[in-house]
Amino acid sequence: MSTSAAQQTSYRLSVAIEGMTCASCVARVEKMLGQIPGVSRASVNLATESATIESNAELDVASVQRSVEKAGYVVPENEATLAIEGMTCASCVTRIEKSLAKVPGVVSASINLATEQASVRVLQGMADTGQLIAAVERAGYRARLPSLDTDAQEASQAAAKAWTEAWPVTLAALLAAPLVLPMVARPFGTELALPAWVQWLLATPVQFWLGGRFYIAGWKALRAGAANMDVLVALGTSAAYGLSVYLWLTAGARTPHLYFDAAAIVISLILLGKWLETRAKRQTADAIRALNALRPATARVWRDGAEQELPLASVRVGDIVIVRPGERVSVDGVIRQGTSQLDESLLTGESLPVARSEGDQVTGGAINGDGLLRIETTAIGAETTLARIIRLVENAQMAKAPIQRVVDQVSAIFVPVVLGIALLTLLGWWLTGVGFEAAVINAVTVLVIACPCSLGLATPTAIMAGTGVGARYGILIKDAEALEIAHRIGIVAFDKTGTLTEGKPQLVAHLPAGGMSADQLLQSTASVQAGSSHPLAHAVASAASDAGLPLLAVDSVQALPGRGMAAALSADGVGHEGRRDLRLGSSRLMAELGIDLAALADRAAELESAGRTVSWLADVTDAPRLLGLLAFGDTIKASAGQAVKRLQAMGIRTVMVTGDNAGSAQAVARELGIDQIVAGVLPEDKSTTIVALKNGGNIVAMVGDGINDAPALAAADVGIAMATGTEVAMHTAGITLMRGDPALVADAIDLSRRTWSKIKQNLFWAFGYNVVGIALAALGVLNPVIAGAAMAASSVSVVSNALLLKRWRPIHDRGGKI
């Protein structure tokens, strides 16, 4: 009996697993899965790279995922995006998310009311799009895959949809207008009471035809076991309409006061409000539409000795694309022939055209100036910079800020609470003896004035507007959480090289020691660094090339992270033919090797105090000895000083965290006015420095551009990466600056502050409106018509307030005003 019961309650889950290589991997994963409460059996198949888990209770996919990751492996995920139709308020969002979360394999589901889209994370191979769409439909809504239409098709569909949404509003207003006239005339002492049958004739189509959407959506919500705004509107207006019919039919010879006007006007006002709200919401997505418009449909490709105009999808990496003057660059690539000025304003926010010539990188979407360019394609489709920018902005606009999750929890219980208040209002007024008619109207007013829509729209519309305007000026915000946190930043830590400086150092001095000549020192150093991508290596290679010095044969080159390099030369430039072991690096490395630097110590100190970066070359073949020093100079970015001053004017402390020597760091800090310096920091210790800065509750941002900055960017509360740096830095950071301009850091924080201010204003209005409005309605101060107008205005005002962010401008464009 017990065995049979266990079989009846058995659950099975199969998941894919990546990273396993052998039988020990299998055993480790099975052991971790077996520790999940309720799991009776876990079987892992190395050949299919999957696990089957049996349990006597329904399994939480998140716990399975955590167990696999704890074992050191990965459960791959897919992300699906769905367009949702039929949502009206925040309670709709909560209901759809819950329905999607019940689909086996769904890790998380996030709905954005402003974009009307769902972002669903699913364990690979466990739930397909059809199952997700079915889950949305079970909740009472419609879902489909997002449109892949062209701009022209989207414009045509938008126009058709605008008319579809506009005509019910227009017709409702025309039918309700005669019902409004008596209300307008009454304060002036004129009675224009329409016959009851005329009021009924005008109100009925508004109630059941034009207002039918509220009944349909409300019934779907109730059938799914929940309630939303449509339920409130349908109940409220139906009560007013039903009471009017009752009073009319039971009045006999006398002419009663009817409420057909209230029901019809409320529906008309709410339809108008939803129409205005939809129009306003579309404007919040202008940034995505503007970026999509940068994608040319075709490209002119040189193939088989001739120009061919091909669809962009037919272009391949390595193709030579020809871009004529005035045309948009269609691909990411490298200029192989030609010189021109490119307008990259919609990609980087840089208002002035930038010069580009042979060997320079170009980005798809830029507008070519007056030169003919031949570009070798390096990236196409989803891998282009423009495509990545669009994905970043879309992801940020889809994401929920932490505060929105609190709002969603409130919205989940909002409608049931309002229904309870309406019932108490009805009973309270009826028991006080004012009559059933007045009690019903006060309860109707409570139902009509409640607006969960404004709660649901308050945060996402502000985030959409903020991320959209940021993208226009070269500030890409990866997620809503970064945008929400950034307004509280109290410390900004900068990397030095490539962030505050140009990152293009030049060799300014090379001083030999130990019997070596200056040319021999330069030749040996260039040989050790041959093949390195480090900026200092490029500077040495350039100097050696200019001096006409050939590179020497090198064996066993090894990088010493944060310290320098080790290499063996078969000839060291001094005439030795045997293998010589050399070390190139910082003073820290020399100290570890026990190298005596006294011969050049005074000169090194002078160079460092002048802001130069000093590296040393030593021979450790036999007795370690110094061969010489090399000094590098890097130009401080023109906007770096302005960036520091702006941050300080905003009450933010600035810190430089660099692996460079203290003398060089102090020279740069003095010139820029930076508050604090942490110099000589190894890459792995930068994150430790950021953690130390966070002590005491400080909110810290880290600004960097290199691979060695990635751990610090991740450790910071907000990571800010320069797009001129490495992909690793940009992937790690929450905010990416499309120009290597440190002044954009202050702009990003200012934009966050303005966006957060709009979120607070919207939430204050949304909560305040509902609290005050419902209270006044329950006390009988308002009538249904005023309540309907207020409800319609609340959502429109929230969206319109968020749209004011589109007027935001960078601090420079505001004349430096913070």
Side-chain angles (χ1 to χ4, degrees), residues 78 80 100 103-106 120 122-132:
N78 294 327
L100 286 169
V103 177
V106 170
V120 190
V122 184
L123 298 186
Q124 187 173 296
M126 287 202 62
D128 58 28
T129 306
Q131 291 172 284
L132 300 179

Side-chain angles (χ1 to χ4, degrees), residues 6 9-15 29-44 51-65 67-68:
T9 58
S10 178
Y11 294 86
R12 175 176 291 206
L13 182 68
S14 295
V15 296
V29 175
E30 287 181 344
K31 180 180 178 182
M32 293 304 301
L33 290 174
Q35 294 174 3
I36 299 174
V39 170
S40 56
R41 179 175 174 271
S43 175
V44 177
T52 301
I53 307 122
E54 295 180 5
S55 170
N56 53 24
E58 193 167 354
L59 283 167
D60 175 22
V61 293
S63 64
V64 172
Q65 194 173 26
S67 295
V68 173

Side-chain angles (χ1 to χ4, degrees), residues 709-724:
D709 296 321
L713 290 169
D717 294 294
V718 179
I720 303 177
M722 301 284 189
T724 49

Side-chain angles (χ1 to χ4, degrees), residues 511-514 516 521 524 574 582 600 617-619 625-629:
L511 307 177
M516 187 175 254
L521 173 64
S524 296
V574 188
L582 303 185
L600 295 172
L617 183 68
D619 184 343
R625 64 190 180 95
L626 179 66
L627 296 181
L629 71 76

Side-chain angles (χ1 to χ4, degrees), residues 159-173 210 271-272 275-276 279 282:
K161 189 174 181 180
W163 166 244
T164 302
E165 293 170 345
W167 75 259
V169 177
T170 305
L171 185 55
L210 302 174
L271 289 174
L272 174 63
W275 179 70
L276 292 172
R279 282 173 56 90
R282 285 194 188 121

Side-chain angles (χ1 to χ4, degrees), residues 694-721:
K694 291 165 69 173
N695 287 340
N698 295 314
I699 302 299
V700 179
M702 173 67 193
V703 186
D705 72 329
I707 292 175
N708 62 340
D709 296 321
L713 290 169
D717 294 294
V718 179
I720 303 177

